[in-house]
């Protein structure tokens, strides 16, 4: 008898006994017995009828058992064993029916879901989500499941479903089940992380082996019996002066590298059937530049059972040294001493007490305190190297050196930070403009087997500059990622705001100012315009807004702006404006430049709101040779015009300085700032080709420096300002306009707006659909108004395809991103641009101007 094992798996196909059938049978028996008491006369007939019913049921049960439709203990036992195997299977098993109906999930799958009951079980499509490669794999599996096909996918998921690892690999199988019903499917999920790791380890070991062979101190190559060289290591290729890609791709032959008739000697077959022959051969190789290289070859060839030679394996030793070994030894010692003392890597030998036995000049320059008390003197303190560092670094470095002293191999490098600037040598002070900057050094330790006693070799590399670069790169990557996110959010909001503003204009056009709803609609439009201002700030930070640069004289621009700045500062804060002489020109968007100055001044005012103070605006030229004096490593040397905004506020702490340019970061109270002001300053300055820096100490105020590149005006920049023509009040027009927009609300608004002004409007939801409309209309379209970012085919790609097909219709692009983001790959002057969000009036005016 098979014991029933309790399982946490879920099985919807299990059918327990039906209680109501038992109750119904009991009620029938009680009813038959009641007839004897209530109607004795009818009792015989009722009894006969009941016996007949039970007899028929028994006959049918015997027939079902005979043909196998009804089974008892053997079938149940077999099903229990099968179910037990499925429930305890190591892989997660999930049986589904239709799209979302779950029939069965074993214990392993429920553990992957973290489910305790049926409510927590997730389908595979919902359980696995992540980057595009994961979503694409799940999509292929789902398509196979719907088509009733088998399919297998391996995918990497980070973070994994279970455990604390950074990532895990999963293998997911799907196959149809033989069962009547709507698309029954079996899913199997297995964790194959360990298999993947073994494969990666094997691959890395293979890569290491290849790398070791390529960089071995001896040359190595293989040659076919015909003389072709399919492989040559990097050492030999370097000796001969060949590029490794050419030498190792089968492009060379023995005749190309062996001088005189040496190739014939190597190709000569001197072995018998089944033998492996190794010969030592001294001959000359010929380098690519024509020079000879004497070598000693260990040449091995394996012969087949038929006596035919196979590919050779040959080791080459460079024999280009002098003829007398004594002179070679003395020359090698002198050469090594020169190399040891002139190498930029700090090298030293330590005794068992951590004292320096010998060191080169670079070590003395980088770590002078390690030489305190003399080199290896008995009076010198033990372990002088382990000073001015944290306890953790001290323990790690001492452990690495002791491992090398014990002749243990594979000692891992140790990164140490020297916290005291006094311990830094001349190199440390030169490498950093700040003498108190902590220095980073990477140490490598290895056994000194030739020292004659217990000793260790250490190698030190100054990694301070690399550490700073890594920190700056990480910060720039974070800012770039945040910028991309902000730009994407702003672009999507611009689509929605375009629809809100557009429909508000349509409603305002059909309501009089006296209408009670007019003010409500106007409030909606004004709120949408304020939201559009926030999206412009996000686009400014992500450097995707549309700029209209012009040649500026910054001194004139600030002079015109100072009246507004004094009003913004109020009575408690004083404004001091100081201009440099003969300021250079710059090229920037005047409105965005003014916004930069306003934001910096307002921030300074808010920092001094309680006690008041002074804001000083200074301008001057900064030549390329003077850029180093600003002490900003990210600044590219060039000619700049500098604008400094200095306040006498409380200053900025070092922790906040790293975050002030991030969007939505603010130190103001809730409701008193969006956190987008400085991020917009950062984006506008960067998009204009400049730099912005902040210099501040707590209690000493803050100084923001904006550097814009110098611009030398050209003849084309000197243009006479023409009075702008008055906008027309007639917005009606004629012509056929194709509106291409993937956002349904924006497209519907544009169709209504243009159609109500007399234009014939055709619409398309993508670039591909637009090409079909243009092909169908065959030259009837006068103007194409197209979005830039669309699925299937974007606007610029559609524009190029139209020109290839000879379509000459004018094109207006609309987008929430900057025009420069897509216009750089398109011919100039062949299209117009309308930034989102736009109003009904702006859309009509742009279309009317384009159609003339």
């Amino acid at each position: 008898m098979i014991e029933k094992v309790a399982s946490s798996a879920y099985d919807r196909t299990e059918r327990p006994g039906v209680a109501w059938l038992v109750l119904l049978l009991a009620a029938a028996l009680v009813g038959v017995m009641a007839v004897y008491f209530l109607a004795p006369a009818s009792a015989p007939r009722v009894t006969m009828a009941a016996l007949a019913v039970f007899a028929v049921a028994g006959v049918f049960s015997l027939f079902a058992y005979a043909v196998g439709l009804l089974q008892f203990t053997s079938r149940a036992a077999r099903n229990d064993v099968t179910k037990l195997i499925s429930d305890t299977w190591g892989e997660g098993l999930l049986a589904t029916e239709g799209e979302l109906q779950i029939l069965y999930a074993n214990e392993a799958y429920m553990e992957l879901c973290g489910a305790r009951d049926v409510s927590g079980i997730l389908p595979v499509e919902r359980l696995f989500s992540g980057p595009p490669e994961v979503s694409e794999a799940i999509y292929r599996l789902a398509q196979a499941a719907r088509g009733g096909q088998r399919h297998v996918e391996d995918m990497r998921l980070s973070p994994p479903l279970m455990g604390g690892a950074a990532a895990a690999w999963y293998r997911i199988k799907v196959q149809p089940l033989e069962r009547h019903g709507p698309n029954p499917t079996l899913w199997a999920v297995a964790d194959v992380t360990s298999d993947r790791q073994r494969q990666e380890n094997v691959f890395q070991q293979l890569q290491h082996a290849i790398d070791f062979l390529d960089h071995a101190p001896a040359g190595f190559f293989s040659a076919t019996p015909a003389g072709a060289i399919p492989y040559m290591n990097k050492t030999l290729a370097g000796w001969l002066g060949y590029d490794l890609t050419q030498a190792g791709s089968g492009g060379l032959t023995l005749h190309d590298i062996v001088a005189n008739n040496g190739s014939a000697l190597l190709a000569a077959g001197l072995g018998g059937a089944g033998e492996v022959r190794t010969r030592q051969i001294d001959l000359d190789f010929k380098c690519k530049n024509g020079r000879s290289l004497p070598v000693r070859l260990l040449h091995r060839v394996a012969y087949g059972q038929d006596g035919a030679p196979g590919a050779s394996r040959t080791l080459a030793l460079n024999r280009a040294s002098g003829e007398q070994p004594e002179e070679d030894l003395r020359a090698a010692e002198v050469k090594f001493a020169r190399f040891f003392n002139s190498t930029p890597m700090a090298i030293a030998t330590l005794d068992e007490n951590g004292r320096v036995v010998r060191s080169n000049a670079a070590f003395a320059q980088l770590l002078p305190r390690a030489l305190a008390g003399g080199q290896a003197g008995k009076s010198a303190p033990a372990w002088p190297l382990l000073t001015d560092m944290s306890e953790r670094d001290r323990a790690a470095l001492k452990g690495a050196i002791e491992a090398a002293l014990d002749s243990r191999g594979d000692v891992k490098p140790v990164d140490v930070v020297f916290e005291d600037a006094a311990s830094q040598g001349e190199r440390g002070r030169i490498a950093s403009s700040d003498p108190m900057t902590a220095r980073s050094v990477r140490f490598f330790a290895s056994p000194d087997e030739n020292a004659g006693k217990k000793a260790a070799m250490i190698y030190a590399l100054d990694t301070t500059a690399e550490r700073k670069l890594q920190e700056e790169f990480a910060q720039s990557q974070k800012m770039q990622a945040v910028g991309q996110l902000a730009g994407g959010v702003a672009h999507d909001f611009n689509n929605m705001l375009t629809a809100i503003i557009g429909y508000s204009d349509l409603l305002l056009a059909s309501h009089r100012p006296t209408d009670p709803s007019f003010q409500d609609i106007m409030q909606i439009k004004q709120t949408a315009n304020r939201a559009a201002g926030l999206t412009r700030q996000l686009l400014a930070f992500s450097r995707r807004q549309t700029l209209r640069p012009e040649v500026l004289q910054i001194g004139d621009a600030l002079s015109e702006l100072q009246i507004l700045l004094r009003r913004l500062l109020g009575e408690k804060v004083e404004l001091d404006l100081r201009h440099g002489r003969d300021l250079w020109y710059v090229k920037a968007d005047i409105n965005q430049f003014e916004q930069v100055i306003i934001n910096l001044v307002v921030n300074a005012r808010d920092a001094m709101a309680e006690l008041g103070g002074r804001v000083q605006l200074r301008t001057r030229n900064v030549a390329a040779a003077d850029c180093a004096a600003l002490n900003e490593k990210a600044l590219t040397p060039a000619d700049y015009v500098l604008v400094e905004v200095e306040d006498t506020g409380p200053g900025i702490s070092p922790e906040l300085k790293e975050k002030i340019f991030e969007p939505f970061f603010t130190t103001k109270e809730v409701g008193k700032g969006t956190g987008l002001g400085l991020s917009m300053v950062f984006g506008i300055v960067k998009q204009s080709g400049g730099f912005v820096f902040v210099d501040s100490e707590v209690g000493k105020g803050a100084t923001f420096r904006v550097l814009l590149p110098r611009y030398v005006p050209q003849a084309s920049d000197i243009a006479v300002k023409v009075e702008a023509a008055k906008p027309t009040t007639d917005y009606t027009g004629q012509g056929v306009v194709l509106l291409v927009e993937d956002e349904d609300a924006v497209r519907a608004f544009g169709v209504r707006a243009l159609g109500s002004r007399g234009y014939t409007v055709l619409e398309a939801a993508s670039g591909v659909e637009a090409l079909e409309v243009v092909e169908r209309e065959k030259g009837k379209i006068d103007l194409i108004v197209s979005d830039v970012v669309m699925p299937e085919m974007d606007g610029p790609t559609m524009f190029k395809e139209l020109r290839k097909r000879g379509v000459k219709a004018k094109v207006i692009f609309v987008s929430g991103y900057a025009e420069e983001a897509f216009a750089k790959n398109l011919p100039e002057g062949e299209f117009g641009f309308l930034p989102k969000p736009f109003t009904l009036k702006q859309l009509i005016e742009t279309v009317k101007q384009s159609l003339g």
Side-chain angles (χ1 to χ4, degrees):
M1 180 176 179
I2 298 176
E3 182 181 355
K4 183 70 174 180
V5 180
S7 173
S8 60
Y10 167 72
D11 190 352
R12 188 172 177 267
T13 62
E14 292 181 343
R15 297 187 61 186
V18 182
W20 65 269
L21 288 176
V22 177
L23 293 175
L24 182 61
L25 179 60
L29 294 174
V30 171
V32 172
M33 295 177 62
V35 172
Y36 282 92
F37 297 99
L38 300 178
S42 304
R45 286 179 295 173
V46 172
T47 301
M48 292 301 295
L51 290 175
V53 170
F54 291 150
V56 171
V59 170
F60 275 104
S61 297
L62 289 174
F63 180 79
Y65 181 79
V67 299
L69 296 177
L70 181 62
Q71 297 183 6
F72 297 102
T73 56
S74 61
R75 177 66 177 267
R78 186 168 64 251
N79 288 342
D80 285 343
V81 173
T82 304
K83 187 175 186 306
L84 180 61
I85 293 173
S86 300
D87 290 348
T88 59
W89 194 250
E91 297 182 1
L93 299 178
L94 176 72
T96 61
E97 189 174 56
E99 292 292 334
L100 298 174
Q101 185 67 45
I102 296 177
L103 297 178
Y104 171 79
N106 71 345
E107 297 175 5
Y109 190 84
M110 295 183 72
E111 185 178 358
L112 289 174
C113 296
R116 297 184 177 179
D117 51 29
V118 64
S119 62
I121 302 176
L122 300 175
V124 174
E125 293 93 327
R126 293 177 55 191
L127 181 61
F128 288 88
S129 61
E133 55 269 19
V134 174
S135 301
E136 292 172 1
I138 294 298
Y139 175 77
R140 291 191 293 268
L141 288 165
Q143 289 295 102
R146 295 186 186 97
Q149 299 175 349
R150 295 173 178 264
H151 193 66
V152 180
E153 288 281 351
D154 285 4
M155 63 188 66
R156 182 180 184 273
L157 191 64
S158 178
L161 299 177
M162 297 185 303
W169 282 90
Y170 296 92
R171 177 168 297 157
I172 303 178
K173 305 176 185 177
V174 63
Q175 67 180 46
L177 293 176
E178 296 295 335
R179 176 183 170 182
H180 297 290
N183 196 21
T185 306
L186 177 64
W187 301 77
V189 181
D191 189 332
V192 294
T193 306
S194 57
D195 294 340
R196 281 279 182 169
Q197 290 176 346
R198 284 194 294 270
Q199 294 174 4
E200 292 177 359
N201 291 337
V202 172
F203 179 78
Q204 289 179 356
Q205 292 173 1
L206 179 60
Q207 289 293 103
H208 289 328
I210 296 174
D211 183 68
F212 295 154
L213 182 58
D214 273 339
H215 297 86
F220 180 84
F221 68 94
S222 175
T224 65
I229 302 177
Y231 176 77
M232 177 184 296
N233 73 343
K234 188 174 182 179
T235 302
L236 183 56
W239 290 349
L240 300 178
Y242 286 100
D243 184 9
L244 184 60
T245 57
Q246 177 188 0
S249 61
L252 293 178
T253 64
L254 288 175
H255 179 73
D256 296 325
I257 67 171
V258 181
N260 304 322
N261 295 321
S263 58
L265 180 62
L266 294 178
L270 303 177
E275 291 184 353
V276 177
R277 296 291 298 271
T278 301
R279 292 183 293 158
Q280 178 177 304
I281 305 173
D282 292 311
L283 46 73
D284 286 351
F285 276 169
K286 55 182 179 182
C287 302
K288 188 177 181 181
N289 58 9
R291 294 185 178 181
S292 296
L293 176 69
V295 292
R296 171 167 289 179
L297 302 182
L298 297 178
H299 184 64
R300 169 172 289 189
V301 180
Y303 295 85
Q305 295 300 326
D306 58 352
S312 65
R313 307 290 187 267
T314 306
L315 186 69
L317 302 177
N318 192 333
R319 308 297 292 175
S321 303
E323 295 180 358
Q324 298 182 7
E326 295 80 7
E327 294 180 1
D328 291 343
L329 181 59
R330 287 193 295 270
E333 290 177 351
V334 173
K335 187 175 182 179
F336 174 77
R338 292 175 56 198
F339 169 78
F340 181 74
N341 285 305
S342 61
T343 178
M345 175 178 282
I347 306 174
T349 303
L350 303 183
D351 64 9
E352 58 184 355
N353 294 317
R355 300 186 185 96
V356 177
V357 178
R358 184 183 181 187
S359 68
N360 65 348
F363 189 90
Q365 189 179 36
L366 180 64
L367 301 166
R369 279 199 177 181
L371 307 179
Q375 293 188 349
K378 293 184 179 180
S379 61
W383 301 101
L385 184 63
L386 306 180
T387 56
D388 307 315
M389 64 182 68
S390 66
E391 289 293 333
R392 185 181 67 176
D393 289 349
R394 184 179 295 112
L397 181 57
K398 187 175 182 180
I401 296 175
E402 288 177 343
L405 290 170
D406 294 336
S407 298
R408 281 182 273 168
D410 194 20
V411 181
K412 294 183 179 180
V414 178
D415 290 311
V416 172
V417 177
F418 288 90
E419 300 169 342
D420 185 4
S423 66
Q424 301 167 16
E426 181 180 355
R427 181 184 300 181
R429 292 191 292 272
I430 293 175
S432 174
S433 57
D434 182 4
M436 298 305 296
T437 300
R439 307 300 302 163
S440 298
V441 179
R442 173 166 291 182
F443 287 94
F444 302 82
S446 63
D448 188 6
E449 299 176 353
N450 298 322
K453 55 184 177 179
K454 197 172 184 179
M457 292 289 294
I458 61 169
Y459 309 85
L461 286 175
D462 189 348
T463 59
T464 305
E466 288 78 4
R467 177 174 59 86
K468 288 185 177 181
L469 286 176
Q470 289 176 355
E471 294 174 354
E472 293 172 0
F473 179 75
Q475 179 68 10
S476 66
Q477 289 292 97
K478 184 173 84 171
M479 296 291 283
Q480 181 179 0
V482 174
Q484 291 176 349
L485 174 62
V489 170
H491 176 264
D492 292 340
F493 275 163
N494 276 336
N495 273 333
M496 293 182 282
L497 292 174
T498 300
I500 295 173
I501 294 172
Y503 281 109
S504 298
D505 286 338
L506 291 176
L507 290 173
L508 290 173
S510 60
H511 289 72
R512 295 182 179 181
T514 57
D515 193 315
S517 301
F518 186 88
Q519 293 301 324
D520 296 337
I521 301 171
M522 183 61 71
Q523 186 65 34
I524 293 174
K525 182 178 179 180
Q526 291 175 355
T527 304
N529 286 330
R530 287 197 296 271
L534 290 177
T535 61
R536 281 194 294 271
Q537 290 179 318
L538 288 174
L539 286 173
F541 170 73
S542 62
R543 289 171 260 174
R544 296 182 179 181
Q545 67 168 344
T546 299
L547 298 182
R548 303 298 181 188
E550 59 185 277
V551 180
L552 299 178
Q553 219 288 338
I554 286 183
D556 297 338
L558 292 179
S559 298
E560 295 176 1
L561 190 62
Q562 64 176 325
I563 298 177
L564 174 61
L565 295 178
R566 295 184 190 277
R567 292 177 181 174
L568 292 173
L569 290 174
E571 298 178 356
K572 290 186 177 181
V573 181
E574 176 187 357
L575 177 65
D576 184 10
L577 185 61
R578 298 184 181 183
H579 289 307
R581 299 181 58 183
D582 301 324
L583 292 178
W584 295 323
Y585 287 96
V586 298
K587 193 168 186 179
D589 187 319
I590 179 62
N591 295 322
Q592 299 299 330
F593 173 74
E594 291 177 350
Q595 193 65 46
V596 167
I597 301 302
I598 289 172
N599 282 343
L600 293 177
V601 170
V602 168
N603 271 357
R605 178 202 66 187
D606 295 341
M608 302 179 292
E610 296 181 2
L611 301 177
R614 179 169 58 92
V615 175
Q616 189 175 91
L617 276 174
R618 299 187 296 268
T619 60
R620 63 184 175 94
N621 296 330
V622 178
D626 300 329
C627 288
L630 295 176
N631 194 23
E632 296 292 347
K633 292 186 178 181
L635 180 62
T636 304
D639 292 338
Y640 297 95
V641 178
L642 171 65
V643 181
E644 291 180 306
V645 181
E646 182 179 7
D647 64 67
T648 58
I652 306 172
S653 64
E655 296 79 13
L656 297 181
K657 282 174 61 177
E658 300 178 358
K659 301 179 180 180
I660 57 175
F661 291 116
E662 297 179 6
F664 307 110
F665 178 80
T666 179
T667 58
K668 299 178 182 178
E669 299 177 5
V670 177
K672 292 188 177 181
T674 63
L676 292 174
L678 288 179
S679 64
M680 184 177 68
V681 169
F682 179 88
I684 292 173
V685 173
K686 286 294 184 181
Q687 193 172 357
S688 302
F691 297 86
V692 57
F693 305 105
V694 59
D695 185 15
S696 178
E697 292 183 23
V698 177
K700 297 184 180 181
T703 302
F704 285 83
R705 296 186 176 94
V706 177
L707 294 102
L708 296 177
R710 177 186 182 182
Y711 180 78
V712 179
Q714 307 296 324
S716 58
D717 296 321
I718 305 175
V720 180
K721 294 185 178 180
V722 181
E723 183 178 356
K726 295 182 179 180
T728 178
T729 58
D730 181 16
Y731 296 122
T732 60
Q734 295 180 349
V736 179
V737 179
L738 172 59
L739 183 59
V740 188
E741 173 63 60
D742 62 315
E743 194 73 27
D744 295 339
V746 178
R747 187 173 71 253
F749 152 66
V751 171
R752 285 186 57 186
L754 296 175
S756 64
R757 266 54 179 187
Y759 297 98
T760 301
V761 185
L762 305 175
E763 52 182 307
S766 66
V768 175
E769 188 176 339
L771 294 177
E772 296 175 358
V773 174
V774 171
E775 189 70 20
R776 186 176 66 244
E777 295 299 327
K778 296 189 181 299
K780 296 180 181 179
I781 298 174
D782 303 309
L783 176 66
I784 299 174
V785 180
S786 173
D787 192 10
V788 174
V789 180
M790 295 181 294
E792 295 184 270
M793 178 183 290
D794 58 15
T797 304
M798 179 198 70
F799 178 86
K800 295 178 181 178
E801 187 64 27
L802 288 172
R803 290 298 184 257
K804 288 180 181 178
R805 300 184 181 187
V807 178
K808 301 299 182 182
K810 297 181 179 179
V811 176
I812 298 175
F813 284 117
V814 295
S815 177
Y817 287 140
E819 179 181 352
E820 292 79 9
F822 65 91
K824 59 184 179 181
N825 295 325
L826 296 175
E828 295 184 1
E830 291 195 12
F831 64 92
F833 182 74
L834 179 61
K836 290 181 180 179
F838 51 81
T839 64
L840 183 147
K841 181 179 178 182
Q842 291 172 334
L843 175 61
I844 298 300
E845 284 182 348
T846 304
V847 171
K848 190 172 182 68
Q849 291 175 3
S850 297
L851 291 177

